[in-house]
Amino acid sequence: MSANYDVLVIGAGPSGLFCAARTALRGRRVLLLERGREPAKKLLLAGGGKANFTNRSVSVADYVGSDPAFAAPALARYTPDDALHLLHDAGIAVEEREHGQMFCKKSARELLDLLLACCRTSGCELRMETPVTDLSYTGDGPFTAHTLAGLFHASSLVLATGSPAWPQCGADDAGLRLARSLGHRIVPPRPVLVPLVMPQAWPLQGLAGISADVRVYCSAPGSPTYTLPLLFTHKGVSGPAALQMSCFLRGGDSLHIDFLPQAEFASVLNAQGSGKLSPRILLARLLPERLARALLPPDLAERKSAELSRNDRKRLCDAVHAHQAIPLRTEGMRRAEAATGGVDTRDVDPHTLQSRVLPGLFFCGEALDITGRLGGYNLHWAWASGHTVGNAV
């Protein structure tokens, strides 16, 4: 079998679906090829099944990669208000949570159904279970996608193949290998938005299930500071604080944690009536008891506060407010919600997301070396990049 189209889109994730629908609305004959049995499996799992589809506030500061500023033109063209209007016009109820995160009120399935309906009504053709085994380009002719179902030709090609994160959903690096075969440089993928594994000798091991609101940053250059929940696991730490830090931590970087960002432990020790109580008892009023016990130096934890020297108090406050640890590693791609790396953005025009190497080749979504932090930013990049390509291809 052999068939001709105007545009081939490879990958039926959120960015691919959105791009294909937008492209077809412009009157282009579009074929969307997906290797899996179902489209956008990650989308159905995102946000606990409710799809954190955007954030009230989005800027390049919410992205990581070799050059986050690359995302600016696409983000300017498709804003959070645009995403909210899309769902509102479709009758999909949304809810806002902390830090401006926007979710579907009922289910991510509503959002997927909307994307599929947009593809159908626009005239886009969708083929499932059709993996692309190879891509070819003659230099002056069309792109050709080689599949077991036959050859598909088009003058323009969009790679919306995602990242290798969450391989249990069918993700892998096949799209990046296709991009490399067409002459593009690839920034090696790295798992992010992923739990951290801590050393066995870490004094806070053994606290699985305990959580606390912390202030956290890391020693990596340019690391932001977050105040978010941290969750202890059997291997180390997870929760929003750890997931955000995984975007910036590299091997050997240290994690800095303030376990009491809402109060000064020095003031607690000095408060009226605290002199006869131990630091452990005082801290356990503010943090889970097991965490309080593990945090404090054993030689000071049970002494009466009134007996503590200035140096003793500094040691206690540093233990609570300035805890440091070096993670061993992350829990890898299987536990990662996203991955940094991908198609090197130096080889892509930020205004159209068209290849500078091969005219007619475009990229959108996680295939590019642009990754959003936790909070709806990755899905917003899917919409913004898909919209940009859909208007340009």
Side-chain angles (χ1 to χ4, degrees):
M1 174 185 176
S2 181
N4 296 303
Y5 296 84
D6 296 321
V7 181
L8 297 177
V9 180
I10 302 177
S15 66
L17 288 165
F18 200 55
C19 170
R22 179 62 194 162
T23 304
L25 276 175
R26 293 173 45 236
R28 309 277 276 159
R29 290 191 63 223
V30 180
L31 173 63
L32 176 54
L33 298 172
E34 167 58 40
R35 61 179 294 179
R37 297 178 62 183
E38 302 173 42
K41 289 181 70 174
K42 283 186 184 180
L43 177 62
L44 295 179
L45 298 174
K50 293 194 174 182
N52 183 190
F53 66 93
T54 192
N55 194 289
R56 283 286 186 189
S57 175
V58 175
S59 74
V60 294
D62 300 308
Y63 293 85
V64 295
S66 301
D67 180 20
F70 173 87
L75 296 177
R77 288 194 182 94
Y78 199 84
T79 68
D81 281 344
D82 292 323
L84 289 168
H85 288 148
L86 175 70
L87 271 68
H88 178 270
D89 291 347
I92 298 176
V94 303
E95 60 179 348
E96 182 172 352
R97 300 185 189 174
E98 66 277 4
H99 309 296
Q101 299 173 92
M102 303 303 301
F103 291 78
C104 296
K105 195 165 188 178
K106 292 182 179 179
S107 169
R109 172 62 67 177
E110 289 184 299
L111 180 51
L112 176 54
D113 288 344
L114 170 61
L115 294 173
L116 292 172
C118 288
C119 284
R120 284 193 300 270
T121 57
S122 67
C124 168
E125 182 181 337
L126 172 59
R127 283 179 171 265
M128 305 301 301
E129 297 185 89
T130 311
V132 175
T133 56
D134 192 18
L135 291 171
S136 58
Y137 181 71
T138 61
D140 57 357
F143 292 91
T144 298
H146 301 250
T147 78
L148 295 178
L151 302 178
F152 300 98
H153 314 281
S155 57
S156 297
L157 172 70
V158 181
L159 289 181
T161 46
S163 77
W166 278 7
Q168 56 270 45
C169 292
D172 61 19
D173 65 350
L176 301 185
R177 285 187 271 115
L178 291 173
R180 185 182 287 113
S181 75
L182 294 174
H184 270 268
R185 293 177 289 183
I186 303 299
V187 178
R190 178 174 64 89
V192 296
L193 303 183
V194 60
L196 305 174
V197 178
M198 304 302 285
Q200 284 297 319
W202 187 41
L204 303 186
Q205 287 283 15
L207 299 178
I210 289 176
S211 64
D213 288 339
V214 304
R215 184 180 295 122
V216 60
Y217 68 95
C218 74
S219 61
S223 168
T225 298
Y226 297 102
T227 300
L228 291 167
L230 183 75
L231 173 67
F232 289 89
T233 69
H234 291 290
K235 294 182 179 180
V237 289
S238 186
L243 299 187
Q244 295 284 36
M245 282 296 98
S246 71
C247 294
F248 306 95
L249 280 163
R250 299 297 183 101
D253 289 338
S254 58
L255 198 61
H256 297 248
I257 308 173
D258 178 354
F259 281 96
L260 205 62
Q262 74 278 17
E264 290 290 337
F265 194 46
S267 299
V268 175
L269 293 171
N270 293 331
Q272 186 175 2
S274 296
K276 295 182 179 180
L277 301 176
S278 70
R280 179 188 60 78
I281 290 175
L282 293 170
L283 188 58
R285 292 176 174 177
L286 303 168
L287 293 174
E289 199 277 336
R290 287 170 56 210
L291 174 57
R293 185 185 296 275
L295 269 178
L296 298 178
D299 61 316
L300 300 177
E302 303 300 338
R303 292 177 58 182
K304 292 181 179 180
S305 296
E307 300 172 355
L308 299 171
S309 68
R310 178 179 296 179
N311 187 60
D312 293 337
R313 291 168 185 267
K314 183 179 185 307
R315 285 178 60 204
L316 287 164
C317 290
D318 286 347
V320 173
H321 294 295
H323 182 88
Q324 294 186 40
I326 299 177
L328 281 178
R329 59 183 184 278
T330 72
E331 289 198 30
M333 288 293 185
R334 288 193 63 81
R335 295 292 308 280
E337 295 184 21
T340 61
V343 174
D344 194 323
T345 55
R346 291 176 296 177
D347 299 328
V348 181
D349 182 343
H351 297 282
T352 62
L353 303 186
Q354 182 172 200
S355 168
R356 300 186 194 273
V357 176
L358 198 57
L361 173 61
F362 295 78
F363 305 94
C364 60
E366 291 185 65
L368 287 158
D369 181 24
I370 291 290
T371 305
R373 299 186 292 108
L374 194 69
Y377 304 106
N378 263 328
L379 276 178
H380 189 83
W381 175 243
W383 318 135
S385 59
H387 179 265
T388 292
V389 175
N391 284 331
V393 65

